[in-house]
Amino acid sequence: MTPAAFLAFCGLALILALTPGPDSFLTLRYSLRGLRSGIAAGAGAAIGQLGWALLVGVGLAAIIEQSAEVYQVIKLVGGLYLVYLGIQAFWRHRNDVGVDATARVVPGPVRRAFLAGLISNLTNPKVGLFFLAVVPQFLPNGVSAFWMTMLLGATLTVIGGLYLVLLALVAAKANAWLNRPRVSRNLERTSGGILAALGIGTIASAAQP
């Protein structure tokens, strides 16, 4: 791969990272519970991209593309999971009513945040289709398609992960403002509503014939 082609792929990866989606909202949401939780959610989402690169590399994602049923099932599962996360945000906020700000801002479990980011990404087949549509254009002749796919997947993981970590750091810097009761309540509601809306939209698209 030429340096120009690699830089072009990095540009696409950066655009994908900057595009608002479940990964960004999850990272922001968990950042309200602590910097470590926010970074863990972002890291989980980034590693999920590497998982899709592995699937594409071994050809399993091609099966998903060719089987409408499998693709729809994955979309449905992903949509349900996003709705679950959205409802969870509302439920946590409801349980926090009447609790003072100091008690409410408790770092969330890092493992739970990591798994949320990972599962959210792995149940988003659009990431796999991105690899299927884009990666072949950057595969040079005479090289291992599997290892080159993994290299590009690692590149996407690093760029996406760095952006999400930066997002978590920015949220942590604004922690004093974000954790004001009214602001925190509105952010929890907004992020939960966005995640639920994304999930409902995914479920609706999965239900279409």
Side-chain angles (χ1 to χ4, degrees), residues 67-134:
S67 174
E69 292 77 11
V70 174
Y71 177 71
Q72 298 296 79
V73 168
I74 292 179
K75 287 183 66 176
L76 180 62
V77 171
L80 289 172
Y81 185 68
L82 289 176
V83 171
Y84 162 75
L85 291 176
I87 293 175
Q88 186 183 56
F90 278 103
W91 184 257
R92 178 177 288 115
H93 160 67
R94 181 180 179 182
N95 290 339
D96 287 339
V97 174
V99 181
D100 61 62
T102 303
R104 178 157 25 87
V105 184
V106 178
V110 173
R111 182 179 179 182
R112 182 183 301 174
F114 177 84
L115 289 176
L118 181 65
I119 295 174
S120 175
N121 196 286
L122 288 178
T123 54
N124 183 4
K126 290 182 179 180
V127 179
L129 294 180
F130 170 83
F131 276 99
L132 284 173
V134 174

Side-chain angles (χ1 to χ4, degrees), residues 17-193:
L18 293 174
T19 302
D23 296 349
S24 301
F25 293 117
L26 274 177
T27 300
L28 285 173
R29 175 172 171 257
Y30 277 99
S31 294
L32 294 175
R33 300 287 165 173
L35 176 59
R36 292 179 61 192
S37 295
I39 291 177
I47 292 176
Q49 295 176 336
L50 191 61
W52 276 111
L54 179 61
L55 288 175
V56 171
V58 298
L60 294 181
I63 298 176
I64 296 175
E65 183 187 45
Q66 295 171 6
S67 174
E69 292 77 11
V70 174
Y71 177 71
Q72 298 296 79
V73 168
I74 292 179
K75 287 183 66 176
L76 180 62
V77 171
L80 289 172
Y81 185 68
L82 289 176
V83 171
Y84 162 75
L85 291 176
I87 293 175
Q88 186 183 56
F90 278 103
W91 184 257
R92 178 177 288 115
H93 160 67
R94 181 180 179 182
N95 290 339
D96 287 339
V97 174
V99 181
D100 61 62
T102 303
R104 178 157 25 87
V105 184
V106 178
V110 173
R111 182 179 179 182
R112 182 183 301 174
F114 177 84
L115 289 176
L118 181 65
I119 295 174
S120 175
N121 196 286
L122 288 178
T123 54
N124 183 4
K126 290 182 179 180
V127 179
L129 294 180
F130 170 83
F131 276 99
L132 284 173
V134 174
V135 168
Q137 303 178 37
F138 292 90
L139 294 179
N141 296 326
V143 300
S144 170
F146 174 80
W147 290 113
M148 184 56 66
T149 299
M150 293 305 298
L151 173 62
L152 295 176
T155 301
L156 187 66
T157 297
V158 171
I159 292 176
L162 288 176
Y163 168 72
L164 293 175
V165 167
L166 178 61
L167 195 62
L169 288 171
V170 171
K173 286 292 184 181
N175 204 33
W177 178 74
L178 292 174
N179 283 321
R180 292 177 181 174
R182 182 176 180 180
V183 175
S184 179
R185 179 172 63 250
N186 290 336
L187 285 175
E188 285 278 5
R189 288 176 175 176
T190 301
S191 63

